[in-house]
Amino acid sequence: MQENHTPHSNAGPDWSQGTGQRLYRHAKSRIPGGTQLLSKRPEMFLPEFWPAYYQKAIGAEVWDLDGNRFLDFTHNGTGSCLLGYADPDVNAAVKAVNDTGSMATLNAPEEVELADLLCELHPWAEMVRYARSGGEAMAIAVRLARAVRGRDKIAFCGYHGWSDWYLAANLAESSALDGHLLPGLSPRGVPRVLQKTALAFRYNDLAGLEHIMEENKDQVAAIVMEPIRSEMPQAHFLEGVRSLADKHSAVLVMDEITSGFRLAAGGAHLVLGVTPDLAVFAKGISNGYPMAVIIGRSVCMNAAQETFVSSTYWTERIGPAAALATIKKHRRVGLQELLAEGGARVREIWTRAAGKTDIKITISGMAPLPAFAFDHPEALALKTLFTQKLLERGFLGSTSVYLTYAHTPTLLDQYESALISVFSEISDVIKDRSQSIESQLKGPVAHSGFSRLA
Ligand SMILES: Cc1ncc(COP(=O)(O)O)c(C=O)c1O
């Protein structure tokens, strides 16, 4: 991995008065929800104290609006920058495209080169379409599946974005009961007629999926899932899903928006031994530049000729240029191995720090995307305190780390020292029964996000 970082220093200013928090307070009156992505709301990390905005992000380093420098040991652009922020090779490709026109009446030839490359990486796939974000690409995949099968229902597991087809799962018999299946994802505004069109099953629950397929014979257009997320697939689970899709003539759609390009140069399904009919990639494929792809067998992809799927900005040139540069570098440096090594190191750091300080945690997640949870009745307050203490030490930190190429062994060493001292202070707080965990927080407890039904 790269070694181009200087040591960091952060004393401990009053972050609540920082330019970022002031701007965010104003943003909430102008932008409903303050940001465009739930997971980027400062309340998800450290309410009232998270730096909120950045002026510069390079490698694994982020500078806030007041010039404070942090090492990013959280989501690294919500998982979109596998090579690290502002990767020089990807940026060079994007600059070249900018200088020669990122948009024109004619089409971008990079679209065809990228389609060939994606089909080479995924030999089962014959055709490719493009979009620019994960949720919309999933909506396209579901539309194609419905069009090709002439059926309405979708069996799904996991999170797949903001679209109506997916949020329909949260429509109950009455609006008062809405939102129970996927807490935190409100379906308000989704037509009630879509009720019972999105049918949920849990990862590794083959019997649950089989039940759905039998109960809805000849009505399920697609089975939609991530090939892997927080749990490893149990033996024969993915093969079982493939067989059920075949038995019931349903399109198998693998959502590789987060798993893609983390375990392999391509979809995680390549190493997990399951072959879908459609696969969807977005963040992860183009190192932070908007891009999304749907790849698949031509029988499914050709449905795009029979249903209207078309948008101007799906034709711009930066996305495919960035994706080509990202994939080429991924292959050149053997990125999946580096991410796996970084992930193993982070797990080791957590395990060692927890053992030393007698804090109980449970670690989960795929190799390059480890996560942990505090095994404690006040887990959310502890998580908030963890973030607060890491921030004081110059780290953007939470209980999951999306490893990138920029997380060098040197930076991992720095993270380890910070983490051991943070865990040791947290252990003192847990042991001291004279004070509550919340009393140690400078602001409110973090918000808890949404449930993925994984
Ligand atoms: C598995 C999965 N599907 C879909 C999405 C939605 O993608 P986007 O946020 O680009 O719309 C995400 C984003 O977190 C995801 O992880």
Side-chain angles (χ1 to χ4, degrees), residues 177-213:
L177 294 172
D178 283 352
H180 280 215
L181 186 68
L182 305 162
L185 299 180
S186 169
R188 199 171 252 232
V190 175
R192 293 212 83 76
V193 288
L194 294 182
Q195 206 200 328
K196 298 196 174 127
T197 55
L199 313 166
F201 65 98
R202 286 189 183 275
Y203 196 78
N204 279 329
D205 180 10
L206 196 57
L209 175 60
E210 190 165 14
H211 180 72
I212 288 173
M213 301 307 282

Side-chain angles (χ1 to χ4, degrees), residues 4-256:
N4 60 351
H5 300 283
T6 48
H8 64 282
S9 73
N10 279 92
D14 181 359
W15 306 105
S16 68
Q17 296 312 312
T19 309
Q21 273 297 329
R22 277 191 277 119
L23 186 61
Y24 184 57
R25 286 194 281 276
H26 172 59
K28 285 199 278 192
S29 69
R30 282 278 180 233
I31 299 172
T35 75
Q36 326 310 314
L37 181 78
L38 182 77
S39 318
K40 273 203 186 182
R41 289 185 188 170
E43 292 88 345
M44 304 302 285
F45 297 92
L46 192 61
E48 296 173 20
F49 286 84
W50 192 242
Y53 295 91
Y54 74 100
Q55 54 167 283
K56 195 165 76 166
I58 297 175
E61 299 171 282
V62 178
W63 287 261
D64 73 5
L65 299 186
D66 297 313
N68 298 298
R69 173 185 172 271
F70 302 94
L71 290 179
D72 195 337
F73 273 79
T74 48
H75 301 171
N76 289 280
T78 318
S80 66
C81 292
L82 272 70
L83 293 170
Y85 299 129
D87 178 81
D89 296 310
V90 180
N91 277 3
V94 168
K95 278 180 191 144
V97 160
N98 270 334
D99 290 345
T100 49
S102 67
M103 191 55 160
T105 301
L106 302 185
N107 293 290
E110 288 84 353
E111 285 186 358
V112 189
E113 185 185 350
L114 180 60
D116 285 340
L117 177 58
L118 288 166
C119 292
E120 178 201 322
L121 292 172
H122 305 88
W124 59 269
E126 294 151 324
M127 301 184 95
V128 179
R129 280 292 296 252
Y130 300 118
R132 287 297 179 277
S133 80
E136 64 175 1
M138 286 306 298
I140 294 170
V142 166
R143 173 84 75 76
L144 296 182
R146 282 174 164 161
V148 76
R149 289 289 175 263
R151 302 172 181 171
D152 290 342
K153 294 187 182 177
I154 305 293
F156 79 94
C157 148
Y159 172 73
H160 304 290
W162 63 275
S163 333
D164 284 4
W165 77 263
Y166 175 62
L167 289 183
N170 249 358
L171 293 168
E173 295 298 335
S174 77
S175 55
L177 294 172
D178 283 352
H180 280 215
L181 186 68
L182 305 162
L185 299 180
S186 169
R188 199 171 252 232
V190 175
R192 293 212 83 76
V193 288
L194 294 182
Q195 206 200 328
K196 298 196 174 127
T197 55
L199 313 166
F201 65 98
R202 286 189 183 275
Y203 196 78
N204 279 329
D205 180 10
L206 196 57
L209 175 60
E210 190 165 14
H211 180 72
I212 288 173
M213 301 307 282
E214 291 297 334
E215 287 272 290
N216 298 276
K217 250 190 187 344
D218 301 329
Q219 297 172 64
V220 176
I223 299 172
V224 176
M225 61 185 295
E226 292 180 270
I228 185 170
R229 184 84 195 196
S230 46
E231 278 177 69
M232 298 305 119
Q234 284 168 7
H236 312 304
F237 171 63
L238 292 172
E239 295 95 307
V241 171
R242 178 70 262 179
S243 309
L244 281 174
D246 291 340
K247 179 175 170 196
H248 293 275
S249 300
V251 175
L252 179 55
V253 181
M254 286 289 169
D255 176 343
E256 295 267 15

